[in-house]
Amino acid sequence: MESSINEKHLRDEIVKVAGPVFIELLMGTLFGMVDMMMLGRSGDAATTAASIAAVGVTNQLVFLGLSLVQSLNIGATTMVARYIGAKREDRIESVVKHVMILTQLLLVIPILFIGLGMTDTAMKFFGAHEDTLLIGRGYFRVIALGFIFQAFNFSIFASLRGSGDTKTPMKINIIANLSNVVGNAVLIYGLFGFPRLGVLGAGISTSLSQVIASIMLVRVVLNEKNIVHIKIKKKFKFDKDIVYNLVKIGLPASGEQLAMRAGLLMFTKIVASLGTVAYATHQICISILNLSFTPGQAFGISASTLAGRSLGEEEPDKAESYIKMCGKIGAVIAATMGILFFFFGTFIAGLYTNNREVVVEAGKVLKLMAFIQPFQCSQLIIAGGLRGAGDTVWTLISTFLGILVIRLIFARIFVMKMGMGLRGAWLAVLVDQGIRWLLILMRFRTNKWKYITIR
């Protein structure tokens, strides 16, 4: 009886943290899909393919920046969760200030320099052809400018999630995403007397929605009743222990994210070599894959927060139970996603574009994506638990081997040597996810992550 009560308690706690994250990520991804669908119907076939490709190219830069921002944020989530578990809430304000300032100084400034000062060079580097350059320059610059606010938002969201507050990020993100979709409709198509701006309109709307989210978040962190808050009048001073923790947790996490971005960039270049239509198809498949990330990400964040808090309370076995229970729930959702992709892939792809060639090819890729689901979801959840414990070295190793070595080798074999086209590229993704899952599971079973300390 005791164990079933405990299991129910674990489930309730997990759902309390993961539920809002899942809704937030799902809504965000769905809104992103709607954005892509709007662009897919914003002009003739050549214009829409170039517009979708421009979004894909710009996302390479944004995801690179956000990946590094998340590296610092992993440290913030872990520290906030640990300090709450150890009843040291007085340390949280300093964590939030450190993450905010370091993010803007170390990460936002370089992204602005690349996005605004090296637009054409950067876009070509990320795989843009001439048609994409022509249509996507303005979008690229506007999104780079919006990164100032996006990075700030990510930092505060990470701290809030570490405290177990996932409802606030959910509410703010839903409002921001809703305003983005409305703004997109108005500016892409030129409704209510506004100019018809196409992909540039999508960029302006996206960046403005980040500004709206930032304004709402400032109100949250200035409220001293919240666990995560800052006092503007309180003088900021660097705390070497917090910087040490951020470096200890964040440096391997940065390495992991850089390895991931470098691997994905090289992988995308292999796909881009197949031409604009294949690249546009790939972007649609990536957009759908992002939807399937949501269960793994949501329960990974839940595992991270609850494992971190349990380790702060000096209850390592409880941390393990949280991670295992997150994995069980995630497995059911992953199986459901896989079935949907396998049987309804062509229908889902058809929502994005009228281009029959793209729809048929995307449908075939989605059948492969169905088999990726269980491996992807499980490794995202266990890796989330390990990060919550501060164990970011092993996640770096698995990502480095999986994406930079295994995926690229198999992509070259399947696409370039065997001529399997886009499906060959996605078969390489399946092999990569399977190997990463195995490496992360092996690390989890050693229990060494339970004994990592922070200052």
Side-chain angles (χ1 to χ4, degrees):
M1 187 68 185
E2 177 81 26
S3 118
S4 69
I5 291 170
N6 284 342
E7 283 210 355
K8 185 180 183 309
H9 173 72
L10 290 175
R11 255 198 314 273
D12 290 348
E13 281 289 297
I14 287 165
V15 171
K16 186 179 163 187
V17 176
V21 181
F22 181 63
I23 293 166
E24 173 200 336
L25 293 173
L26 187 65
M27 295 298 283
T29 309
L30 286 171
F31 283 136
M33 289 167 79
V34 171
D35 288 357
M36 197 80 92
M37 288 169 196
M38 285 180 182
L39 282 175
R41 295 163 189 275
S42 63
D44 58 71
T47 304
T48 56
S51 295
I52 291 171
V55 173
V57 164
T58 306
N59 283 346
Q60 293 290 324
L61 176 68
V62 172
F63 291 162
L64 172 63
L66 289 180
S67 299
L68 294 172
V69 169
Q70 281 173 316
S71 309
L72 276 176
N73 291 348
I74 288 164
T77 302
T78 302
M79 277 191 281
V80 170
R82 286 272 191 125
Y83 289 146
I84 286 174
K87 306 275 189 289
R88 295 176 68 194
E89 284 92 345
D90 57 302
R91 305 274 288 151
I92 293 172
E93 184 184 354
S94 186
V95 172
V96 177
K97 284 183 174 176
H98 275 79
V99 173
M100 276 169 47
I101 291 166
L102 291 172
T103 297
Q104 294 294 324
L105 289 178
L106 301 179
L107 304 173
V108 171
I109 292 170
I111 293 292
L112 282 177
F113 176 72
I114 294 167
L116 301 178
M118 301 169 60
T119 309
D120 280 24
T121 311
M123 287 183 76
K124 283 177 188 168
F125 179 75
F126 291 124
H129 296 283
E130 280 304 320
D131 54 349
T132 307
L133 272 174
L134 200 64
I135 283 175
R137 276 190 194 97
Y139 178 84
F140 194 82
R141 288 178 183 136
V142 169
I143 293 290
L145 208 53
F147 188 74
I148 300 169
F149 303 96
Q150 198 173 5
F152 169 79
N153 299 344
F154 265 58
S155 300
I156 305 300
F157 287 149
S159 304
L160 289 168
R161 288 179 187 131
S163 74
D165 177 7
T166 51
K167 282 185 180 175
T168 302
M170 176 191 74
K171 288 172 187 171
I172 291 173
N173 267 316
I174 288 174
I175 292 167
N177 280 313
L178 197 56
S179 63
N180 181 28
V181 167
V182 174
N184 272 351
V186 170
L187 296 175
I188 290 173
Y189 301 123
L191 306 178
F192 310 118
F194 281 88
R196 186 187 176 100
L197 297 173
V199 72
L200 174 61
I204 293 168
S205 175
T206 299
S207 290
L208 283 177
S209 72
Q210 296 295 343
V211 175
I212 290 167
S214 293
I215 292 166
M216 294 169 78
L217 276 171
V218 166
R219 290 183 63 190
V220 171
V221 294
L222 291 182
N223 185 347
E224 291 181 26
K225 290 178 185 172
N226 296 323
I227 293 179
V228 174
H229 69 267
I230 56 172
K231 297 172 188 164
I232 291 179
K233 289 179 182 174
K234 189 174 176 183
K235 194 178 172 186
F236 172 78
K237 58 177 182 189
F238 273 100
D239 182 320
K240 64 179 188 302
D241 286 343
I242 285 175
V243 173
Y244 169 83
N245 290 336
L246 283 172
V247 170
K248 182 182 174 181
I249 298 166
L251 206 58
S254 298
E256 179 194 349
Q257 295 298 339
L258 281 172
M260 183 182 286
R261 293 323 320 166
L264 289 178
L265 175 60
M266 286 187 259
F267 177 70
T268 303
K269 284 195 167 193
I270 293 172
V271 173
S273 71
L274 296 167
T276 300
V277 172
Y279 189 67
T281 308
H282 180 66
Q283 286 311 316
I284 287 171
C285 293
I286 290 285
S287 174
I288 297 165
L289 184 73
N290 287 343
L291 175 66
S292 77
F293 270 143
T294 51
Q297 283 178 316
F299 288 98
I301 287 168
S302 187
S304 190
T305 300
L306 296 169
R309 190 190 300 169
S310 301
L311 292 172
E313 293 165 353
E314 298 183 356
E315 292 195 50
D317 290 342
K318 189 176 169 186
E320 184 181 349
S321 299
Y322 274 127
I323 297 169
K324 283 181 175 175
M325 182 60 75
C326 283
K328 284 179 188 173
I329 301 168
V332 175
I333 300 171
T336 310
M337 288 270 194
I339 291 164
L340 284 173
F341 289 161
F342 192 85
F343 292 106
F344 302 103
T346 308
F347 170 75
I348 295 167
L351 296 172
Y352 280 84
T353 179
N354 295 322
N355 187 320
R356 192 66 202 154
E357 188 187 348
V358 171
V359 170
V360 170
E361 188 63 22
K364 290 172 184 172
V365 169
L366 282 164
K367 277 191 165 48
L368 267 176
M369 212 187 281
F371 294 98
I372 292 171
Q373 294 310 299
F375 299 113
Q376 173 186 281
C377 191
S378 181
Q379 69 98 356
L380 280 171
I381 290 168
I382 299 169
L386 294 180
R387 289 188 191 103
D391 185 1
T392 49
V393 173
W394 201 256
T395 54
L396 161 63
I397 293 166
S398 72
T399 300
F400 184 89
L401 285 174
I403 293 186
L404 259 181
V405 181
I406 303 295
R407 183 184 293 199
L408 290 180
I409 288 172
F410 279 93
R412 285 182 185 281
I413 292 169
F414 294 148
V415 176
M416 294 175 169
K417 297 270 191 286
M418 296 173 69
M420 292 172 71
L422 193 57
R423 273 170 290 168
W426 281 86
L427 188 57
V429 176
L430 174 59
V431 177
D432 155 38
Q433 287 284 1
I435 287 171
R436 270 196 283 165
W437 166 76
L438 197 60
L439 288 168
I440 288 290
L441 186 64
M442 282 163 58
R443 174 61 178 181
F444 176 69
R445 287 183 173 169
T446 65
N447 286 334
K448 289 178 181 175
W449 53 272
K450 293 180 179 177
Y451 307 104
I452 289 168
T453 55
I454 69 161
R455 291 180 182 178

